[in-house]
Amino acid sequence: MEFRIAGVIGAGAWGTALAQVAGSAGLDVLLQAREPDVVESIRDRRINEAFLPGITLDDHVAVTTELSDLAHCDLILAVPPAQYMRSTLTAFAPFHRAGVPVVLCSKGIERGSLKLMTDVLAETLPHAPAAVLSGPSFAGEVARGLPSAVTLACADEALGERLMETLSAPAFRPYLATDLIGAEVGGAIKNVLAIACGIVEGRGLGRSAHAALITRGFAEMTRLGVALGGRAETVAGLCGLGDLVLTCSSPQSRNMSLGLALGQGQTVQQALAGKRSVAEGYESAPAVRELAARTGVDMPISLAVAALLNGETTVDRVIEDLLSRPLKVERD
């Protein structure tokens, strides 16, 4: 199958950036947005002022509010917030044609069910071949054509190769993997860990503490990924370690900026107030905590973040508790 028309569901910053990538890769693109102001902005000015200001979109990118308009697309990129993936795909189901691949581009774990996005896709669009796109990529940089590399995971390697070639653009480089679980876990857990890194920055705890947190956080991410059936080498790639380093290193990350505000003394409510974009780590942290308990995986940093966001503890207590944990062998 040759992919010619890509439908992108979700016109937040990342969905808009991926529409730009697909357009620059030579595809005709139809970007679906829930917000009428976003559609109006793109149609009138070729800019998504609400979520990706300053970026003029490729002429190949059209926009609509209607999921039904994506019925003729031969490739779907699903980019709603993770907690809305199920309702979005359920709404799209009547218009999906069997066999049309769906590339999952949102990072998170569904609250309540504790399911990954591939599980949600299998339950809502059972006849859709699945792929996962994840990696270190800020939407604004990708949309401006700055170099970036990501993981594209697909169990069907032949389909994965076609998707990789289709979505490859001059400055956007996908690397193929077959381990969807590893790719998904990396993308979900790094958002929670980025909140922790933001707290370190906000409290002024120094670069040594920042580096230690990234390293020990990566160990947590790897343990959970393997426990769920993923491979450690996948988590060590762009979709895990690469994404973790990026998201934990810049306040461009919504999750790190949330942690930064908490570290500087704001409450969770104050830090989230007025934000139109979703900090996925805030939404996924409770699910990560439950998943760690279910699998028996030791994840002290992620659990501390979940407790803090739920109002069960304070920043100072979290720092004290983590620093007073029993000494152990590093590989554990």
Side-chain angles (χ1 to χ4, degrees):
M1 175 192 297
E2 181 182 358
F3 301 118
R4 296 184 298 273
I5 306 173
V8 180
I9 301 176
W14 186 224
T16 305
L18 288 174
Q20 181 83 324
V21 166
S24 66
L27 294 166
D28 290 325
V29 183
L30 186 54
L31 175 63
Q32 184 270 336
R34 293 186 303 107
E35 306 85 353
D37 63 310
V38 170
V39 173
E40 180 181 356
S41 176
I42 294 174
R43 282 180 176 167
D44 293 350
R45 297 181 294 281
R46 305 300 303 156
I47 297 172
N48 185 341
E49 292 285 2
F51 295 107
L52 201 63
I55 305 294
T56 301
L57 294 180
D58 190 282
D59 289 340
H60 287 89
V61 179
V63 65
T64 181
T65 58
E66 302 301 320
L67 286 168
S68 58
D69 290 340
L70 276 61
H72 68 290
C73 296
D74 45 35
L75 170 63
I76 298 295
L77 306 183
V79 207
Q83 303 309 319
Y84 295 92
M85 183 66 78
R86 183 178 297 275
S87 60
T88 300
L89 294 181
T90 298
F92 178 61
F95 314 112
H96 176 260
R97 290 178 289 116
V100 171
V102 174
V103 182
L104 298 161
C105 307
S106 302
K107 302 168 183 176
I109 297 168
E110 188 177 47
R111 296 177 69 163
S113 72
L114 308 186
K115 291 183 176 179
L116 299 173
M117 297 299 101
T118 46
D119 299 318
V120 174
L121 175 63
E123 292 175 2
T124 54
L125 298 177
H127 303 296
V132 171
L133 184 72
S134 186
S137 46
F138 284 142
E141 294 180 356
V142 170
R144 291 199 303 274
L146 297 178
S148 58
V150 297
T151 298
L152 195 153
C154 185
D156 181 339
E157 196 164 355
L159 173 60
E161 288 177 354
R162 296 207 309 276
L163 291 171
M164 179 175 61
E165 293 167 0
T166 297
L167 295 173
S168 175
F172 188 77
R173 185 177 177 83
Y175 282 80
L176 184 61
T178 56
D179 175 17
L180 282 79
I181 293 175
E184 288 193 90
V185 170
I189 306 304
K190 62 92 183 179
N191 286 328
V192 178
L193 297 171
I195 296 174
C197 276
I199 293 170
V200 167
E201 292 296 306
R203 266 295 192 268
L205 299 181
R207 306 311 298 171
S208 299
H210 185 270
L213 193 147
I214 289 178
T215 307
R216 295 310 299 165
F218 175 63
E220 292 187 13
M221 176 191 295
T222 304
R223 286 196 293 267
L224 184 62
V226 172
L228 293 176
R231 296 196 290 271
E233 57 266 31
T234 306
V235 182
L238 290 162
C239 55
L241 179 59
D243 211 356
L244 178 66
V245 170
L246 178 70
T247 312
C248 291
S249 301
S250 172
Q252 285 188 64
S253 159
R254 294 187 296 270
N255 297 285
M256 186 176 178
S257 66
L258 170 58
L260 189 65
L262 297 176
Q264 292 171 342
Q266 293 187 31
T267 66
V268 175
Q269 292 71 27
Q270 289 170 335
L272 293 174
K275 299 292 193 300
R276 192 166 182 178
S277 297
V278 175
E280 291 281 22
Y282 172 77
E283 299 291 347
S284 292
V288 171
R289 176 159 66 171
E290 290 184 54
L291 203 52
R294 176 184 291 182
T295 57
V297 173
D298 187 28
M299 302 184 70
I301 300 171
S302 300
L303 267 58
V305 171
L308 178 64
L309 294 175
N310 199 40
E312 301 166 21
T313 186
T314 65
V315 168
D316 289 334
R317 186 58 182 268
V318 164
I319 295 168
E320 180 183 343
D321 288 348
L322 288 174
L323 289 176
S324 62
R325 281 172 52 82
L327 300 176
K328 60 194 302 184
V329 177
E330 185 177 22
R331 65 174 179 269
D332 294 338

